[in-house]
Amino acid sequence: MMGISHWLKRFQREVIVAVVTGTVALASAWGALELLEWVALDTLLVLRPAEPSDQRILLVTVEETDIGNLGGWPLSDAILADLLETLAAESPRVIGLDLYRDLPQEPGHDRLQAVMAELPNLIGVERGLGSGRVPPPPILAERDRVALADVPQDRDGTIRRMIISAPVEGEIKLGFATQVSLFYLEQLGVTLEARDPQQHRYQLGQAQFVPLTGVEGGYSPRDLGGYQVFLNYRHPAHHFDQVSISEVLEGRVSPELIRDRAVLIGSNAESINDFFLTPYSQALYQYRLNSTESSSNVAIPNHQMSGVEIHAHGVSQILSSALEGRPLIRFWHQKGEWGWILLWTMVGTYGTWVGLAQQAFKEQSAWLYPLVLMTSGTVAIGAIAYVSLLGGWLIPTVSPLIALVLSTALSSHAYQEQQLRAFTQRLQAYSTDLEEQVRQRTQELEAARQAADSANLAKSEFLANMSHELRTPLNGILGYAQILQQAKDLNSQRRGVGVIYQCGTYLLELINDILDLSKIEARKLELNPKSIPLKPFLLQAAQMFKPAAEKKGISFYCELDPQLPKLVVADDKRLRQVLVNLMSNAVKFTNKGSVSLQVETLSYFDSDSDSTPEVRLKFSITDTGIGMTEANLRKVFLPFEQVKEAQKLAEGTGLGLAICGQLIRLMGSTLHVESQPGQGSCFHFELTLPILDTANAPILSRDYSKITGVSGVAPCLLLVDSSADSRSILAALLSPLGFKILEAATAKEALESLGKMTLEEDGETSAKAIILELNLEDADGIAVIKALREPERDCQLPIIAVSSHVFSDAKERSLEAGATAFLTKPFHRNDVLLALERHLELRWVMQDESTADASNDVQSIEEVCPPEIIPESLLEELLHLARKGNLKDLKRRAEELQEEHPHLRPFANHIQHLARQYQERALCEFLMNYQAQQ
């Protein structure tokens, strides 16, 4: 490869000559340049000087006025017979009838036949080539006085050639111009002689005819049929005497215009449409336009030429060439064209190289000299072609011009590359310095990248630290709130406690949103599927927003498919998070109309005995709120993005929909949205969930709020946490249930306490489990777990790790180190009791007998007043009042219910009983239980 590259650089001028010559020659041979060559040819023909008019030819034409005056088109045989008799009386040398007359046109057909038979110098026409053939006049065909009226068109529709002769049905027939010319010349003693029959070269007077072969002028053999030559037009204007048929019939034509001439009869009327494009079309149009402006009686100018006029140019070419030696236009052979292309390629290549080498390398000379060379070469090619045309030779112009331009451009580029290579050595010193600068810059960029990565890491660490700093005080707030809620003598303060708990929960949800998004982006969020009673789960989620909807004066509908399965497996926490977020947004951004939650069953998937059946569900949350534009829809699922209208209505982080979209993607589906501004939005997604048989369903978690103690001997627990508040909260949560609590603020204290327990071996005071905060002041909690699990200590106690660093991998690391369970701060009382129950195998003492009696009362009420007879709207109204704590209106509504529906009296009495005792939670549980069973 290096040898070829070196060879190409050494002989690059010769390579340019060979490549350009071969490319342009092949393009010309394949006809790719024929249209351009024809345009150049036409331009040269138009630029030729005018020639004198040919007085040997007279055109007798059918004009539009003739058609109107003589009875329409086609002219009758009688008129045509009168015309021929009138012309024959003036002794023309030959009459060419360029009108098809293969069918009789009464009246006067017999007379026309007699006239045609009597005139020995009359030539008729037929159309013998291509489609739509027209037979000749029968009487003239019998006397062999018929010629071809066909004119060959190039592919652009222009007439540049004429037919000398062509085979028709196995017989050679002469063209119309050829037949007329030979008849004319025979009367002068000039006959056709064969010079080289094999090459089809013929001598006619002073002219020697050589046919087109298909390798010149952009033509190919498929374009040619028969013996053809190039048509050498005389001039774009009328260079022949011309009269109309009416003038001849009316005797208004001088006999001198007819006598001893070749008279051609044809059509010049636009309605007959016997017109063709020629190389002179544009010039002819300008000429006729000038004639129209000078005379108001002249018809609208036409840029086309009539067929009889084209035949007249052919007759004039043959006569003038044979009698006067007017040159016939000839073409170079294809090999001559290739040599011509090679010559101008060498001019462009070596001329550019030599010219640029004569002066120093300058930016201006790089384009100025090639431009001057191409301009002068173009003028030279055009001048040579023009002079050659005057001598009867038509040489290619486009192909050598393209070769000149390409070779000049390529040579200029190659010369510049050579000069650049010559300057390379001078730039080596600068190159070394530049490489050093680039290396230094690369190091700076790498340092900047590392700084950016550090900044990103710092951002993640900041989020984790903020989580810890916020969750620690929240743990105190929520913990004490739970303690106060469980206290039986603080009923008057439970409303305020609930407010504290709600505020703390709201702050926690904001933090969880940020951390959830961070977990999803870090791919550390995992789903926790469990069994869900689907209908109660959905009703409970929807019930949360009915009061807010009623407060805004909008309707809220929960439409559940009756075919929904009773139990499915899903991550209830994440599914509830998605539904709550979507319904919250729908209610928040809807001021009139309605909001609806729809869940429908799409399909069930049957299964065999080895697999679990599944159901395909579609969840839809629809509202009639503010809606969104197309621009908003494109970014609605991006983090921290909010619709502008939404920003005016409510505050928020803009993370909700981003988290919902990511959670649904984790569940194997996609969250879709359809919205119109001002009309509302519809968020929907589909989930495929496993179905559980109610007979084989796992036992649902118990209500830990009704636990009053541990059955049997309550175990002792060791609490290890640097925060005294955290230890106090756990102690306050567990001590009332009978747990014995040991506390340690540091890892050292914890290890000392465990050591004493081992020595004392006191069953009642020895810890049965350890609740360990991972973020201790004197040690890393994970290191403490590892130390306890080492064989030297052989600690087999359950260790429940606790941490507020939810963004880190603390859970995985602690479980790998030997922890039994993991809890995240702030935790709920139920979470702690569930972990202790599972790992210490505890049994609980549940509600007292009075509470059990109350449960029995509820069961008896449900038997008398089953949920099916309670109106759903009534349950929603009562549940709304209970949740607001409006016990006064609740008791009043229960009294009205007794009067309106006496059969619901037990149901109403129980509500009044609970309201009088201010048991708001029991009221809510009683009503929600009824609602879940509907």
Side-chain angles (χ1 to χ4, degrees):
M1 295 299 293
M2 292 298 294
I4 296 176
S5 176
H6 177 73
W7 184 86
L8 291 176
K9 291 179 181 179
R10 181 178 179 182
F11 300 98
Q12 55 185 331
R13 287 172 289 185
E14 289 73 19
V15 171
I16 291 174
V17 171
V19 171
V20 172
T21 301
T23 302
V24 177
L26 287 176
S28 178
W30 289 342
L33 306 178
E34 63 180 6
L35 292 177
L36 296 175
E37 288 286 2
W38 290 342
V39 171
L41 185 152
D42 296 347
T43 303
L44 292 174
L45 289 175
V46 172
L47 293 176
R48 290 188 306 172
E51 297 179 71
S53 176
D54 195 338
Q55 300 298 320
R56 294 181 290 261
I57 300 173
L58 173 66
L59 296 181
V60 179
T61 59
V62 179
E63 305 292 340
E64 291 290 347
T65 56
D66 297 330
I67 295 175
N69 296 334
L70 299 177
W73 182 261
L75 300 178
S76 67
D77 289 347
I79 294 175
L80 200 55
D82 290 341
L83 176 64
L84 293 176
E85 289 178 345
T86 303
L87 292 173
E90 303 302 332
S91 302
R93 291 187 186 275
V94 62
I95 300 175
L97 181 60
D98 187 23
L99 297 174
Y100 295 116
R101 191 57 59 161
D102 56 317
L103 297 175
Q105 298 293 332
E106 299 293 349
H109 178 65
D110 293 337
R111 181 182 167 208
L112 177 61
Q113 294 296 311
V115 172
M116 286 184 173
E118 293 173 358
L119 295 179
N121 61 344
L122 176 63
I123 308 297
V125 293
E126 68 173 319
R127 183 173 182 179
L129 303 178
S131 59
R133 297 181 59 184
V134 180
I139 191 67
L140 296 179
E142 294 173 0
R143 289 163 175 74
D144 197 23
R145 287 188 277 124
V146 176
L148 296 174
D150 303 81
V151 288
Q153 291 179 286
D154 291 335
R155 269 173 277 185
D156 61 347
T158 303
I159 307 298
R160 298 184 180 88
R161 296 165 286 151
M162 63 177 290
I163 296 177
I164 299 297
S165 64
V168 178
E169 297 180 351
E171 180 182 0
I172 299 298
K173 293 189 177 183
L174 299 177
F176 182 61
T178 306
Q179 183 79 299
V180 171
S181 301
L182 291 178
F183 199 98
Y184 185 99
L185 293 173
E186 284 178 0
Q187 300 179 42
L188 299 178
V190 179
T191 58
L192 187 65
E193 299 175 5
R195 290 296 183 187
D196 188 354
Q198 292 183 351
Q199 298 295 328
H200 301 286
R201 296 177 182 269
Y202 296 93
Q203 189 74 30
L204 184 62
Q206 301 181 37
Q208 185 177 6
F209 289 85
V210 179
L212 296 174
T213 61
V215 292
E216 60 278 285
Y219 294 110
S220 61
R222 67 176 181 272
D223 298 325
L224 305 179
Y227 195 115
Q228 296 185 19
V229 297
F230 195 86
L231 181 55
N232 191 3
Y233 291 86
R234 299 189 69 86
H235 196 267
H238 291 293
H239 258 62
F240 308 102
D241 293 328
Q242 181 175 341
V243 296
S244 67
I245 290 180
S246 297
E247 291 176 335
V248 175
L249 295 177
E250 293 169 4
R252 292 188 285 122
V253 178
S254 172
E256 298 298 325
L257 289 177
I258 303 174
R259 186 174 296 115
D260 295 330
R261 291 197 181 194
V263 178
L264 303 182
I265 304 172
S267 170
N268 195 38
E270 291 187 2
S271 60
I272 300 177
N273 195 26
D274 187 25
F275 291 88
F276 302 90
L277 292 172
T278 68
Y280 291 93
S281 290
Q282 186 60 37
L284 182 60
Y285 178 83
Q286 188 62 42
Y287 172 83
R288 292 179 177 172
L289 180 63
N290 296 335
S291 299
T292 303
E293 293 174 351
S294 62
S295 175
S296 59
N297 296 326
V298 179
I300 298 175
N302 193 331
H303 64 282
Q304 295 179 323
M305 188 179 292
S306 64
V308 67
E309 191 175 359
I310 292 175
H311 288 306
H313 280 279
V315 173
S316 176
Q317 173 178 336
I318 297 175
L319 294 181
S320 58
S321 300
L323 300 177
E324 301 159 3
R326 181 171 178 250
L328 294 170
I329 296 180
R330 300 181 183 181
F331 291 88
W332 277 4
H333 192 271
Q334 192 174 57
K335 294 180 180 179
E337 180 181 359
W338 291 352
W340 190 236
I341 294 173
L342 174 61
L343 173 63
W344 284 103
T345 303
M346 295 176 66
V347 170
T349 301
Y350 294 103
T352 301
W353 211 277
V354 173
L356 291 177
Q358 297 302 316
Q359 50 185 320
F361 181 83
K362 296 180 181 179
E363 183 179 356
Q364 185 179 17
S365 65
W367 62 266
L368 180 59
Y369 181 80
L371 180 62
V372 172
L373 180 60
M374 287 187 288
T375 303
S376 58
T378 302
V379 173
I381 292 174
I384 294 172
Y386 181 78
V387 174
S388 300
L389 180 61
L390 295 180
W393 285 95
L394 190 60
I395 64 175
T397 54
V398 174
S399 54
L401 180 59
I402 293 177
L404 173 66
V405 173
L406 286 178
S407 60
T408 302
L410 292 176
S411 299
S412 176
H413 178 70
Y415 183 84
Q416 293 177 34
E417 284 188 343
Q418 186 187 64
Q419 294 297 309
L420 289 174
R421 286 194 298 270
F423 284 102
T424 301
Q425 294 180 352
R426 301 181 184 179
L427 297 175
Q428 289 300 323
Y430 300 101
S431 177
T432 303
D433 181 66
L434 181 60
E435 289 177 359
E436 179 63 23
Q437 294 182 13
V438 170
R439 188 184 63 80
Q440 294 178 359
R441 181 58 177 165
T442 302
Q443 292 177 350
E444 294 174 0
L445 292 175
E446 179 64 21
R449 186 189 66 81
Q450 293 178 357
D453 292 342
S454 300
N456 289 331
L457 181 60
K459 179 190 72 172
S460 300
E461 293 176 352
F462 168 77
L463 289 175
N465 291 334
M466 284 300 298
S467 170
H468 172 72
E469 296 299 328
L470 291 174
R471 283 173 178 266
T472 300
L474 282 174
N475 185 44
I477 296 173
L478 297 178
Y480 279 114
Q482 294 176 73
I483 294 171
L484 292 175
Q485 282 185 319
Q486 295 298 321
K488 296 182 179 180
D489 56 346
L490 297 177
N491 286 330
S492 61
Q493 300 182 16
R494 287 195 178 189
R495 187 177 183 86
V497 171
V499 172
I500 296 173
Y501 184 74
Q502 290 177 358
C503 292
T505 303
Y506 176 73
L507 291 175
L508 180 61
E509 288 175 353
L510 290 180
I511 298 173
N512 283 337
D513 281 348
I514 298 174
L515 295 178
D516 282 346
L517 183 63
S518 300
K519 283 183 178 181
I520 293 172
E521 291 179 349
R523 299 182 180 180
K524 293 186 177 180
L525 183 66
E526 297 180 356
L527 299 179
N528 183 24
K530 61 180 65 174
S531 61
I532 303 176
L534 186 58
K535 189 174 180 181
F537 169 80
L538 297 173
L539 288 173
Q540 184 180 14
Q543 193 67 37
M544 298 170 58
F545 299 97
K546 287 188 177 181
E550 293 177 358
K551 185 177 181 180
K552 296 185 69 174
I554 60 177
S555 301
F556 190 98
Y557 303 103
C558 182
E559 303 174 5
L560 304 182
D561 191 335
Q563 302 299 322
L564 289 178
K566 292 185 178 181
L567 285 175
V568 296
V569 177
D571 189 329
D572 60 335
K573 176 182 177 182
R574 297 305 179 184
L575 183 56
R576 181 184 292 108
Q577 182 178 353
V578 172
L579 294 176
V580 167
N581 190 286
L582 296 178
M583 289 188 290
S584 175
N585 287 345
V587 173
K588 185 187 304 181
F589 302 127
T590 301
N591 295 324
K592 60 180 180 178
S594 63
V595 174
S596 66
L597 167 65
Q598 297 175 317
V599 183
E600 57 181 313
T601 303
L602 298 181
S603 60
Y604 281 91
F605 300 96
D606 296 332
S607 61
D608 52 29
S609 57
D610 297 331
S611 60
T612 304
E614 295 180 336
V615 63
R616 185 73 173 174
L617 304 177
K618 181 177 181 180
F619 299 80
S620 303
I621 294 85
T622 307
D623 64 70
T624 57
I626 59 177
M628 290 175 284
T629 63
E630 289 292 336
N632 292 330
L633 288 176
R634 285 193 292 269
K635 60 182 181 178
V636 68
F637 294 116
L638 297 178
F640 308 107
E641 291 287 348
Q642 285 184 305
V643 180
K644 292 184 178 180
E645 291 78 358
Q647 293 176 351
K648 300 177 182 178
L649 294 176
E651 296 180 354
T653 61
L655 295 175
L657 289 179
I659 294 173
C660 289
Q662 297 285 8
L663 290 175
I664 294 299
R665 189 173 291 109
L666 281 177
M667 297 178 187
S669 185
T670 303
L671 180 59
H672 302 279
V673 59
E674 300 168 1
S675 183
Q676 292 290 334
Q679 298 182 14
S681 305
C682 177
F683 288 82
H684 58 90
F685 59 92
E686 299 177 5
L687 293 178
T688 300
L689 303 176
I691 304 173
L692 290 181
D693 187 357
T694 55
N696 300 323
I699 300 175
L700 300 180
S701 59
R702 66 180 80 256
D703 186 0
Y704 288 93
S705 63
K706 297 180 180 180
I707 295 175
T708 59
V710 179
S711 177
V713 178
C716 179
L717 304 177
L718 175 61
L719 308 182
V720 184
D721 197 322
S722 299
S723 171
D725 291 339
S726 297
R727 298 196 306 273
S728 299
I729 292 172
L730 272 174
L733 284 173
L734 300 176
S735 296
L737 302 180
F739 288 97
K740 298 177 180 60
I741 305 299
L742 298 177
E743 297 185 17
T746 63
K748 182 179 180 180
E749 293 180 7
L751 295 175
E752 291 177 353
S753 298
L754 290 173
K756 293 179 181 180
M757 295 176 192
T758 303
L759 294 175
E760 295 174 0
E761 296 183 354
D762 186 353
E764 295 185 358
T765 59
S766 298
K768 303 302 181 182
I770 303 172
I771 300 178
L772 174 65
E773 164 64 50
L774 297 181
N775 188 25
L776 298 175
E777 292 181 355
D778 62 336
D780 179 18
I782 293 177
V784 175
I785 296 174
K786 291 180 178 180
L788 292 174
R789 297 305 190 197
E790 289 179 354
E792 294 78 4
R793 295 185 182 274
D794 193 23
C795 179
Q796 302 297 326
L797 298 179
I799 301 176
I800 302 175
V802 180
S803 177
S804 56
H805 290 280
V806 296
F807 186 66
S808 65
D809 54 353
K811 180 177 180 180
E812 291 77 6
R813 292 170 56 212
S814 60
L815 294 177
E816 290 177 359
T820 311
F822 181 86
L823 294 177
T824 301
K825 287 184 178 180
F827 44 74
H828 198 276
R829 173 177 179 265
N830 296 356
D831 299 331
V832 180
L833 296 182
L834 176 60
L836 294 174
E837 177 187 24
R838 181 175 300 170
H839 298 291
L840 293 179
E841 299 180 357
L842 300 177
R843 297 183 63 186
W844 306 108
V845 177
M846 304 303 290
Q847 59 188 7
D848 54 18
E849 293 182 358
S850 61
T851 307
D853 294 339
S855 177
N856 294 332
D857 293 342
V858 171
Q859 293 180 359
S860 62
I861 293 173
E862 290 180 355
E863 294 176 357
V864 178
C865 301
E868 294 80 14
I869 68 173
I870 307 297
E872 183 179 356
S873 58
L874 175 62
L875 283 176
E876 292 181 358
E877 178 185 1
L878 296 174
L879 186 58
H880 176 57
L881 294 174
R883 283 175 171 167
K884 291 175 60 178
N886 193 348
L887 300 182
K888 180 179 180 182
D889 289 345
L890 187 65
K891 289 187 289 185
R892 179 183 55 77
R893 186 69 182 92
E895 293 175 357
E896 295 175 354
L897 182 61
Q898 289 179 346
E899 297 177 359
E900 296 174 358
H901 303 283
H903 62 287
L904 298 181
R905 188 179 300 275
F907 175 78
N909 288 338
H910 188 69
I911 292 176
Q912 288 180 319
H913 172 72
L914 294 177
R916 292 190 190 99
Q917 295 182 359
Y918 300 98
Q919 298 185 27
E920 298 175 13
R921 175 176 293 183
L923 275 169
C924 292
E925 292 177 354
F926 173 70
L927 294 173
M928 288 178 64
N929 182 53
Y930 256 81
Q931 192 177 50
Q933 298 182 56
Q934 284 190 338

